[in-house]
Amino acid sequence: MFKIALLPGDGVGPEVIREAVKCLDVVGKRFSLELRFQAALVGGAAVEATGRPLPPDTLELCRQSDAVLFGAVGGQKYDGLPRELRPERAILDLRQELGLYANLRPARLFLPLIAASTLKEEVVRGIDLLVVRELTGGIYFGKPRGIEPIEGGERAVDTLIYTTAEIERIAKVAFQAAQRRRRKVTSVDKANVLASSELWRRVVNGVARAFPEVALEHMYVDNCAMQLVRDPRQFDVILTENMFGDILSDEAAMLVGSIGMLPSASIGAKVGIYEPIHGSAPDLAGKDKANPIAAILSGAMMLRHTFGQEEAAEAMEEAVANALERGYRTPDIQSPGTTLVGTTQMGDLIASELSEG
Ligand code: NAD
Ligand code: IPM
Ligand code: MN
């Protein structure tokens, strides 16, 4: 039996998680997996109900589960709250509390979506890259942080810290992933300016010695942002720190059609979190317009990484590919000659591909 904590959250979070569960239910039946779901409050929804973005009961449920399927958190309504009460705090605390230092964000082009990218077909054809983002360190968590009054105004500080141990463990994840792929790691940093990047580069070079069959290159983050749109197929595994990885993965999502397509796995300890990389998309919430594929593919990553069910994971990915092949599209990936569907219908279509498969 696999215990899954469901944290739908805010905005389109609940809408896309509903479709992911729909598909997981079908794949569970097909492969005789006993998937047991239990839902809990998180983000703005939890602030409304309990005054806190990550209630202790929710954290406890996650700890007691095998994996967490997370939607999205946040919304304009909460942007004025003190930082520790903002919905986004919930996902940051969850990652830290569960010890999930490694975030895998794969960007692969589904061929039927070649026309959905804003880039030329010959640039995006065959994109298959993996962003390995450090997730529990760097400027997201460093102290001191905060805003204080000074004469004539205020002073704000964030701190970017990395230790050898933090860099080593994430670098290993990247090299191991590259061993199973095209054996190339591009480590992305800002070593020409930042001390933390200087250490990052040195430690990554050290880890690389244990992986002689993997080619390592270093790239500055500004250049990487440019290379991603110039020639994205040069990348296999992109290894990078927390904030750079956040930014570059949204860019990578657009290369393969839409941010609504990119799943993620946050791993490194007992309980993994699986979530689409997109946010609560307040502009789409309640309109049946959000693309549920990122959430559905996150479910597939959960089957693969936490439950070791490679075949079931591949079946889900194939069902997504088939639905796209048949021409069904949510608005974000629509192109001429395709059939427009909503969130729910896309989920239904993928689920029915799965049950037929
Ligand atoms: P966003 O990812 O929510 O939306 C950015 C753009 O992408 C919007 O135009 C949106 O309509 C579109 N988009 C997002 N998901 C989509 C989907 N599934 N299908 C189709 N289009 C989709 O980012 P934002 O607007 O910068 O942030 C909105 C809120 O979400 C903020 O409160 C932010 O802090 C939060 N956020 C949360 C997470 C998370 O929970 N993991 C991630 C990113 C942002
Ligand atoms: C993401 C999100 C989060 C991040 C926010 C909501 C804290 O943007 O998962 O990409 O920055 O990690
Ligand atoms: Mn992000």
Side-chain angles (χ1 to χ4, degrees):
M1 198 244 296
F2 299 128
K3 281 192 288 186
I4 301 162
L6 284 183
L7 273 51
D10 307 320
V12 300
E15 300 172 39
V16 298
I17 291 301
R18 192 176 307 129
E19 303 314 313
V21 171
K22 190 185 278 175
C23 294
L24 283 166
D25 273 333
V26 175
V27 85
K29 287 205 183 74
R30 182 168 143 198
F31 290 87
S32 305
L33 311 173
E34 197 187 334
L35 305 177
R36 193 166 298 173
F37 299 98
Q38 196 173 338
L41 288 167
V42 76
V47 171
E48 306 274 354
T50 72
R52 301 171 65 172
L54 181 62
D57 287 354
T58 298
L59 178 58
E60 192 48 32
L61 173 71
C62 295
R63 287 195 201 283
Q64 304 295 329
S65 302
D66 299 308
V68 179
L69 190 60
F70 190 96
V73 291
Q76 240 183 353
K77 190 174 166 192
Y78 311 104
D79 288 349
L81 287 175
R83 206 144 281 279
E84 66 279 9
L85 289 180
R86 285 184 59 137
E88 291 87 344
R89 195 65 240 167
I91 184 64
L92 298 172
D93 287 350
L94 259 180
R95 290 166 180 168
Q96 194 173 44
E97 290 289 333
L98 298 177
L100 305 173
Y101 63 86
N103 187 212
L104 312 181
R105 299 186 158 191
R108 185 163 67 89
L109 181 77
F110 285 91
L111 206 52
L113 290 192
I114 195 156
S117 176
T118 48
L119 297 188
K120 293 192 190 108
E121 297 193 0
E122 63 266 29
V123 175
V124 298
R125 185 186 302 274
I127 289 180
D128 180 6
L129 63 85
L130 173 68
V131 177
V132 176
R133 171 191 178 193
E134 200 289 328
L135 201 59
T136 51
I139 201 164
Y140 273 53
F141 294 95
K143 294 211 170 86
R145 64 191 296 120
I147 305 178
E148 58 181 26
I150 57 164
E151 213 184 289
E154 290 172 291
R155 175 181 178 272
V157 61
D158 292 289
T159 303
L160 205 182
I161 303 189
Y162 272 109
T163 63
T164 306
E166 285 177 310
I167 301 166
E168 260 171 15
R169 63 185 184 179
I170 190 68
K172 277 185 193 145
V173 171
F175 281 97
Q176 282 162 358
Q179 278 181 322
R180 296 186 297 270
R181 298 173 46 97
R182 298 193 308 279
R183 295 194 290 282
K184 179 176 174 189
V185 169
T186 304
S187 177
V188 174
D189 63 33
K190 188 74 186 173
N192 48 351
V193 177
L194 302 176
S196 57
S197 284
E198 186 187 324
L199 181 65
W200 181 278
R201 203 173 267 222
R202 214 183 317 132
V203 174
V204 170
N205 279 330
V207 172
R209 281 187 213 112
F211 299 87
E213 72 286 14
V214 176
L216 167 66
E217 69 174 0
H218 298 281
M219 193 179 277
Y220 296 131
V221 63
D222 45 354
N223 184 27
C224 181
M226 184 276 281
Q227 295 293 342
L228 269 172
V229 288
R230 190 188 74 88
D231 176 21
R233 285 174 303 185
Q234 71 184 281
F235 296 106
D236 179 18
V237 174
I238 293 177
L239 160 65
T240 193
E241 64 93 51
N242 203 341
M243 187 160 74
F244 297 161
D246 178 44
I247 298 167
L248 295 176
S249 56
D250 269 31
E251 190 185 356
M254 197 54 225
L255 301 175
V256 295
S258 165
I259 192 162
M261 293 297 298
L262 233 70
S264 86
S266 302
I267 57 174
K270 195 177 137 274
V271 184
I273 301 180
Y274 297 87
E275 54 168 325
I277 78 156
H278 63 73
S280 56
D283 52 326
L284 302 181
K287 297 183 177 158
D288 195 41
K289 282 187 172 169
N291 187 343
I293 293 179
I296 293 168
L297 293 174
S298 298
M301 291 189 87
M302 177 173 75
L303 293 176
R304 172 173 296 126
H305 291 279
T306 293
F307 302 143
Q309 300 292 326
E310 181 60 33
E311 225 188 312
E314 279 172 22
M316 277 183 94
E317 290 161 353
E318 204 181 292
V320 168
N322 289 344
L324 296 173
E325 189 64 49
R326 289 179 202 263
Y328 297 110
R329 302 283 190 275
T330 44
D332 56 313
I333 49 175
Q334 205 195 2
S335 56
T338 58
T339 309
L340 187 64
V341 297
T343 310
T344 313
Q345 203 188 341
M346 183 58 101
D348 287 342
L349 287 160
I350 295 169
S352 89
E353 290 289 340
L354 259 173
S355 56
E356 282 157 24

